[in-house]
Amino acid sequence: QVRLVESGGGLVQAGESLRLSCTASTLSVNSAGMAWFRQPPGKEREFVAGVSGRGDRTAYADFQKGRFTISRDTDKATLSLQMNSLKPEDTAVYYCAADFGSQYGISNLHTTYEYWGQGTQVTVSS
């Protein structure tokens, strides 16, 4: 069983930055594709960014327009999301997820991911 724990959420003003972290309970996630999703209030869960299992590819949702950067530290089995120039519409619960099914691709479908964290709230005030 893989346990994922997110941290780093909080309340910020528009234009500020946050860095989210996701720590895994096992180094086996280093071979898994990993991603950040978010779920705004009253909306569906949506893909934010992902990194392949081999760590050589990343993918981003169009809405972030270069504001977000995903990275992983295989020594610490952590996944990070640096979010800059935050907007009120970025308000959501952010989740990290792991996909052990492929080392090469990055799925933007939440149904692909087998393991999920509990989520961390990000609130951006205007």
Side-chain angles (χ1 to χ4, degrees):
Q1 192 74 3
V2 177
R3 184 167 179 247
L4 303 174
V5 180
E6 301 98 335
S7 61
L11 172 63
V12 297
Q13 293 187 334
E16 295 184 339
S17 299
L18 275 176
R19 185 176 182 86
L20 305 183
S21 294
C22 171
T23 301
S25 59
T26 169
L27 290 176
S28 65
V29 296
N30 290 337
S31 63
M34 296 194 74
W36 288 96
F37 284 77
R38 70 183 189 181
Q39 188 161 15
K43 297 186 178 180
E44 299 280 321
R45 191 169 298 192
E46 61 182 357
F47 176 80
V48 176
V51 58
S52 65
R54 297 183 66 180
D56 57 348
R57 297 176 60 193
T58 57
Y60 294 90
D62 290 341
F63 67 76
Q64 56 82 40
K65 297 185 186 302
R67 299 181 295 126
F68 295 178
T69 303
I70 190 171
S71 60
R72 69 193 305 171
D73 183 336
T74 54
D75 289 339
K76 299 178 181 178
T78 60
L79 181 74
S80 297
L81 183 70
Q82 177 67 40
M83 304 188 294
N84 299 326
S85 303
L86 283 163
K87 304 175 181 180
E89 51 263 43
D90 293 318
T91 294
V93 178
Y94 284 71
Y95 299 89
C96 73
D99 167 24
F100 285 84
S102 172
Q103 288 189 334
Y104 303 100
I106 302 170
S107 174
N108 63 357
L109 300 176
H110 67 86
T111 52
T112 301
Y113 294 81
E114 300 100 332
Y115 297 99
W116 291 83
Q118 82 290 347
T120 186
Q121 176 70 47
V122 171
T123 303
V124 184
S125 64
S126 57

